[in-house]
């Protein structure tokens, strides 16, 4: 069973930046597509970005051009660089290992003030 732990969340002003990390342990994530998701209370959890095992990326239209997903397989870690943050980006951010035996992290809070 893979364990995922997010870190790097916090509070920033609109226009600022944050970099989230998702450290995996217990098993390699080298062969898996990984993703970042976010959720606001009362709303559906939504996809932010994914990255495949060979580095192919996909982004939600709302974050395209502002966020960058990346991975370091040697460190078994997933990252999300967030620039030009907007109040609408405020949410709990989760990392996920995709597949039949999916795994979720516990989430990290990102708050963007106007």
């Amino acid at each position: 069973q893979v364990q995922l732990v997010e870190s790097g969340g916090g509070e920033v002003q609109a226009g600022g930046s944050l970099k989230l990390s998702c450290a995996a342990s217990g098993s390699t994530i080298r062969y898996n597509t990984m993703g970042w998701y976010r959720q606001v209370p009362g709303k559906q959890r939504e996809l932010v970005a994914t990255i495949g095992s060979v580095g192919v990326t996909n982004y939600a239209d709302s974050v395209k051009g502002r966020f960058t997903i990346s991975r370091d397989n040697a460190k078994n870690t997933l990252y999300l660089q967030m620039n030009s943050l907007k109040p609408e980006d405020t949410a709990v951010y989760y990392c996920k290992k995709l597949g039949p035996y999916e795994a979720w992290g516990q989430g990290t809070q990102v708050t963007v003030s106007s």
Side-chain angles (χ1 to χ4, degrees):
Q1 177 72 31
V2 174
Q3 293 181 318
L4 304 174
V5 179
E6 302 96 332
S7 62
E11 300 180 15
V12 295
Q13 298 289 318
S17 298
L18 281 175
K19 187 174 184 177
L20 307 183
S21 297
C22 174
S25 62
S27 181
T28 181
I29 60 171
R30 178 177 293 107
Y31 310 110
N32 301 105
T33 295
M34 301 291 294
W36 285 100
Y37 295 72
R38 64 188 183 187
Q39 188 168 28
V40 176
K43 294 186 177 180
Q44 187 78 223
R45 188 172 297 185
E46 66 175 359
L47 175 70
V48 175
T50 60
I51 183 167
S53 60
V54 296
V56 177
T57 58
N58 177 65
Y59 297 92
D61 288 341
S62 60
V63 307
K64 196 173 300 180
R66 299 187 297 120
F67 291 10
T68 302
I69 187 172
S70 62
R71 64 195 298 161
D72 187 336
N73 287 334
K75 296 181 178 179
N76 220 29
T77 301
L78 178 73
Y79 303 98
L80 184 68
Q81 177 66 51
M82 305 184 293
N83 299 324
S84 302
L85 283 161
K86 305 174 180 179
E88 306 91 86
D89 296 318
T90 295
V92 176
Y93 284 71
Y94 300 87
C95 62
K96 180 185 180 182
K97 174 188 174 185
L98 303 184
Y101 298 98
E102 68 184 31
W104 289 94
Q106 82 292 335
T108 185
Q109 177 72 47
V110 171
T111 301
V112 184
S113 59
S114 60

